Amino acid sequence: NDTRSDITWAYFSNAHRVLTGGFTSELSLSFLYKNSNFDKLIMTNLKKALEERGMSRNSVLHNCAVTAHGYLTAGTTNDSFLRDNLDWMKKASNWAKFSATASMG
């Protein structure tokens, strides 16, 4: 009888998670993370190309690179590139800082 009530409560708990949206967000995050094709080498090469051409100080191009990172990692919680290149990210100014912070989400 105890196992039957435990199973029933488990069903109620799962139903509650589904109805409140918790289960959906967990599935969505899991799906995006597992199916992410983010290639850190792309961002590394982009950063290196900007630095080699002396354009890393150009805020428009820097912001474009940050935006590209945001699109590549959207919804995946993958921020390893940004964490590894904090000095490069600090070059952002004004709205680019906001964009850099927003792309980490």
Side-chain angles (χ1 to χ4, degrees), residues 61-73:
L61 295 176
H62 187 273
N63 194 29
C64 289
V66 169
T67 303
H69 176 269
Y71 283 131
L72 287 170
T73 61

Side-chain angles (χ1 to χ4, degrees), residues 8-54:
T8 304
W9 281 111
Y11 286 139
F12 282 132
S13 175
N14 285 338
H16 182 265
R17 278 185 38 215
V18 168
L19 293 174
T20 58
F23 187 67
T24 305
S25 62
E26 289 172 24
L27 281 177
S28 178
L29 180 60
S30 175
F31 173 80
L32 288 171
Y33 188 79
K34 287 180 184 176
N35 294 311
S36 172
N37 291 325
F38 173 67
D39 187 2
K40 196 172 179 180
L41 187 60
I42 292 172
M43 286 304 299
T44 303
N45 288 340
L46 180 61
K47 179 185 146 235
K48 195 180 302 183
L50 289 174
E51 288 174 348
E52 286 174 0
R53 290 173 175 77

